[in-house]
Amino acid sequence: MATGDKLIQVKDLKKYYNRGAIKALDGVTVDIDQGDVMVVIGPSGSGKSTFLRSLNLLEEPTGGSIIFNGVDIEAYENGVHGAVTRKDLNIQEDAFVVGMVGRMSPQKAPDVFVKMAKKVKDAVPNAHFIIVGNGNQEGKIRRYAECNGFSDNLYITGWVDNPMSYVELFDVACLLSRWEGFGLALPEYMMVGKPIVASKVDAIPSIIRNEENGLLVEVDDVVGASNAVLRIYQEDGLGDRLVARGMEDVHNRFDARRVSEEHGKLFENIVG
């Protein structure tokens, strides 16, 4: 169900090939709202793949515009950092910290996160885990950690008004949702400079390109998620490479001030 919050706005999108002889896309206009699930249907050659590749910025449009929702990078960079420390959470400075931001509800799959955490903890004894959020599955998550012997390594913040202060403590940031309209946490993770492991569902692959700016895993794949997290821990340079591309993407695609400027330009073109 849509909320009315625009996540992607496509206006008069065109993609021509062979100097205009082939019009794969010719004036596509659509708004995609928070919570929308969009299905693109058409016969072979109708432009479905070109449209999706354009949304992923894998194709440069011939004309029109694509405006993404964004995060306020400038406000974050000019804000207060280090407000929360690992010491505050009784986490050692040299610990390996894996975290997620999201409500503890079936959609955000905290059960998958905590089961993944168990496997990572078995492989990395000084691993710690942070869930930034609250929700009706909190008791279930705490019981699982307690029954599996790592409750001291799991920190649940509850609701907070400074989630990025906790994200700054992460070594790996996760979004393992079962369904997701946009996943604003993903550009926020990029903004803070964290390597990402996310589920390959709904709009997430339009933000995360596997092995480029993050690692994608199947929905409910505990083993796949733990393996992806451990790859970032074990493989030299992998995390740095994912972060560098993520930083590039968040500035180029998801900067809220750039998005605002693009809205202004689009409005000027409409009224002009």
Side-chain angles (χ1 to χ4, degrees):
M1 181 181 295
T3 66
D5 295 330
K6 296 291 184 291
L7 296 178
I8 304 175
Q9 293 180 275
V10 181
K11 176 69 174 179
D12 198 27
L13 184 65
K14 299 180 177 68
K15 180 61 181 180
Y16 299 161
Y17 299 96
N18 294 342
R19 298 182 180 180
I22 299 174
K23 297 183 177 181
L25 302 173
D26 193 21
V28 176
T29 296
V30 64
D31 290 344
I32 303 174
D33 291 345
Q34 174 79 31
D36 277 353
V37 177
M38 171 172 282
V39 179
V40 182
I41 300 174
S44 178
S46 63
K48 303 185 299 297
S49 296
T50 302
F51 177 66
L52 294 175
R53 286 176 62 82
S54 296
L55 291 185
N56 281 313
L57 302 185
L58 299 175
E59 293 277 2
E60 183 175 350
T62 304
S65 62
I66 302 172
I67 300 176
F68 294 92
N69 196 357
V71 293
D72 195 337
I73 298 172
E74 184 175 335
Y76 171 73
E77 291 179 343
N78 292 334
V80 176
H81 303 285
V84 179
T85 67
R86 291 189 172 193
K87 184 178 180 180
D88 294 333
L89 309 187
N90 293 317
I91 297 174
Q92 306 96 320
E93 287 300 321
D94 63 348
F96 177 58
V97 179
V98 184
M100 63 167 278
V101 176
R103 183 168 176 79
M104 282 180 283
S105 64
Q107 177 193 359
K108 300 296 184 180
D111 54 320
V112 176
F113 178 86
V114 76
K115 291 174 183 176
M116 172 274 295
K118 167 66 165 58
K119 291 185 176 296
V120 171
K121 179 69 169 61
D122 288 344
V124 184
N126 71 332
H128 285 252
F129 308 92
I130 301 174
I131 298 177
V132 183
N134 59 7
N136 58 16
Q137 291 195 331
E138 180 174 343
K140 176 182 176 181
I141 300 307
R142 289 191 183 277
R143 285 191 297 273
Y144 182 90
E146 184 174 354
C147 290
N148 285 275
F150 66 101
S151 59
D152 289 343
N153 296 71
L154 174 66
Y155 188 92
I156 299 175
T157 69
W159 185 89
V160 296
D161 60 4
N162 59 337
M164 294 302 102
S165 294
Y166 292 88
V167 173
E168 289 176 350
L169 307 181
F170 297 178
D171 292 303
V172 178
C174 296
L175 185 67
L176 302 174
S177 303
R178 292 186 168 96
W179 67 92
E180 193 66 63
F182 177 74
L184 189 60
L186 296 171
E188 289 177 335
Y189 291 161
M190 293 177 186
M191 175 180 70
V192 184
K194 303 302 175 180
I196 295 169
V197 173
S199 51
K200 187 168 60 176
V201 67
D202 296 335
I204 289 178
S206 70
I207 303 171
I208 300 299
R209 297 182 305 284
N210 193 37
E211 302 285 347
E212 294 185 28
N213 62 355
L215 300 180
L216 292 175
V217 300
E218 298 296 333
V219 171
D220 286 333
D221 186 356
V222 173
V223 173
S226 61
N227 287 343
V229 169
L230 288 172
R231 277 190 61 197
I232 294 172
Y233 176 74
Q234 295 166 345
E235 293 185 21
D236 289 342
L238 175 59
D240 290 342
R241 176 168 58 81
L242 299 177
V243 167
R245 188 58 185 269
M247 281 292 220
E248 180 180 328
D249 282 349
V250 76
H251 281 85
N252 291 340
R253 300 175 62 190
F254 303 113
D255 182 351
R257 294 176 190 265
R258 178 193 59 76
V259 169
S260 177
E261 291 174 0
E262 290 185 356
H263 275 91
K265 291 177 183 176
L266 181 58
F267 179 77
E268 289 174 2
N269 290 335
I270 291 172
V271 300

